[in-house]
């Protein structure tokens, strides 16, 4: 019971923090503000999070877990199918980041001045690059991908995703980001896949 | 003569600004600091630049002109050749951005709070998307590219470039960014080009 209450408190703090960070910005939202919005004591806050920065990193992790779940859920789908499914999830991720540009920039700026926070901030990029590299190796083994360099291909996928994400928060109305993400991934996949495996049958199987 | 002296003063201010912004950050470097580093009066400064933000935007434009020159110089090269040449220029651009992450974040943060500055900040993205789209149309017309969607393909190229740029300033030591940029562009090009036009002959012609 105590454990469950702890998880609930943690969840309430994180939910309140998203609201306060979005409304007031990362700098202006204080731990006090977050505590009163969540209805918890400062003692409870510091039991769960070492600092405001640690809380923000926790939100970042939560937010990235969707991608991990998608990869785990992919199960027996081929690698191109999995990548298309992950791309379809990207616009939801983007939408939740809209209008929060200031918050992100403020956090990155603070993080860039603190080495250990910075390390934790960039860790996800390296994590996803490794995961994508493993996926590409699986694609080569299963015969859907050409004999490409797995690390370079993983980096290309990650850079495309990071670029789409940054541009969509910088310029939300500059494009239909959902359609843009899908089409961009299709072009990259066409460059990675064996010619024989591209075609209507692949596209149909990508939906299941 | 007066015109030449004006251009010289402008150049001296911009050179001093890069030094001060890099060393002190965008926020801490004042117009006074930049004036004394450049050896010019405040009157001369405001003759050339409306504000510190306008000066930063001027630096941004200067820095992007290299890409425009590369496109103009491409002349009669095929579109894939031009794109490879532009990619080869990217690492130089990246290197000059290293260790200036704080400066970029501070500027973006200030810009995100001012609508007119923000518009000027994102204008280059739209400009390059249009230029890339025209290049893709030329590639389809010259027969090197498949019959792809020019806007979506342009966006894919731009997102890849933006993602590579952001990741290289976030994590300079995380990869060999020059090799990564080249290989990523090759994969994207393989997805855009007609199969018959990919091969050693294209690669050789890419050098001329």
């Amino acid at each position: 019971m105590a454990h469950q209450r702890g998880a609930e408190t943690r969840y309430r703090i994180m939910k309140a923090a998203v609201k306060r960070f979005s409304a007031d910005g990362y700098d202006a939202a204080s731990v006090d503000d977050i505590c009163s919005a969540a209805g918890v004591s400062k003692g409870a806050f510091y039991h769960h999070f070492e600092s405001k920065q640690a809380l923000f990193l926790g939100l970042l992790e939560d937010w990235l877990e969707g991608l991990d779940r998608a990869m785990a859920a992919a199960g027996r789908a081929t690698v191109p199918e999995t990548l298309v499914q992950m791309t379809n999830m990207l616009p939801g991720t983007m939408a939740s980041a809209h209008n929060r540009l200031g918050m992100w920039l403020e956090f990155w700026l603070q993080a860039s001045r603190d080495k250990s926070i910075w390390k934790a901030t960039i860790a996800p990029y390296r994590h996803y690059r490794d995961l994508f590299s493993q996926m590409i190796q699986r694609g080569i083994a299963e015969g859907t991908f050409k004999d490409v360099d797995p690390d370079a291909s993983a980096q290309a996928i990650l850079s495309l995703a990071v670029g789409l994400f940054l541009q969509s928060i910088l310029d939300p109305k500059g494009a239909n980001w959902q359609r843009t993400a899908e089409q961009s991934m299709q072009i990259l996949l066409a460059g990675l896949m064996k010619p024989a495996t591209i075609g209507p049958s692949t596209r149909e199987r990508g939906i299941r």
Side-chain angles (χ1 to χ4, degrees), chain A:
Chain A
M1 285 299 281
H3 177 72
Q4 202 190 331
R5 213 165 48 228
E8 244 179 70
T9 305
R10 189 185 157 87
Y11 176 75
R12 279 226 312 275
I13 295 169
M14 290 177 89
K15 224 177 120 182
V18 168
K19 270 195 193 163
R20 300 284 20 111
F21 287 151
S22 304
D24 309 333
Y26 177 78
D27 286 341
S30 67
V31 170
D32 279 335
D33 295 337
I34 294 166
C35 287
S36 32
V40 304
S41 68
K42 263 183 125 164
F45 181 97
Y46 287 109
H47 174 72
H48 289 285
F49 301 100
E50 212 175 285
S51 62
K52 191 166 81 167
Q53 282 182 325
L55 166 58
F56 198 99
L57 282 176
L59 290 171
L60 185 63
E61 270 166 38
D62 246 43
W63 184 71
L64 288 167
E65 268 174 14
L67 277 182
D68 280 334
R69 276 196 297 274
M71 283 199 245
R76 286 177 312 164
T78 66
V79 170
E81 284 164 4
T82 307
L83 285 170
V84 168
Q85 280 166 17
M86 288 174 68
T87 306
N88 291 341
M89 291 178 56
L90 200 59
T93 310
M94 288 178 189
S96 69
H98 279 358
N99 302 321
R100 291 181 192 170
L101 174 62
M103 177 182 84
W104 280 99
L105 292 175
E106 283 173 355
F107 173 73
W108 282 337
L109 188 55
Q110 286 217 359
S112 74
R113 290 169 179 155
D114 179 321
K115 217 169 180 178
S116 66
I117 295 284
W118 190 245
K119 263 195 162 160
T121 306
I122 62 170
Y125 299 103
R126 296 191 180 187
H127 168 72
Y128 283 108
R129 193 172 55 195
D130 292 346
L131 276 177
F132 284 134
S133 181
Q134 286 161 24
M135 285 177 74
I136 309 277
Q137 284 169 44
R138 195 152 63 80
I140 296 168
E142 79 187 8
T144 48
F145 282 170
K146 292 184 285 195
D147 194 16
V148 293
D149 178 331
D151 286 341
S153 310
Q155 185 59 57
I157 293 173
L158 191 60
S159 290
L160 185 64
V162 167
L164 283 165
F165 174 71
L166 184 72
Q167 285 180 284
S168 73
I169 57 173
L170 290 178
D171 192 10
K173 289 171 187 159
N176 177 339
W177 292 108
Q178 169 144 17
R179 202 169 148 260
T180 302
E182 282 167 17
Q183 293 189 322
S184 300
M185 184 54 84
Q186 290 294 350
I187 293 166
L188 203 66
L189 279 177
L192 291 171
M193 289 172 77
K194 283 188 181 168
T197 59
I198 306 174
S201 66
T202 307
R203 246 172 250 152
E204 274 165 45
R205 282 161 61 216
I207 317 278
R208 70 155 180 217

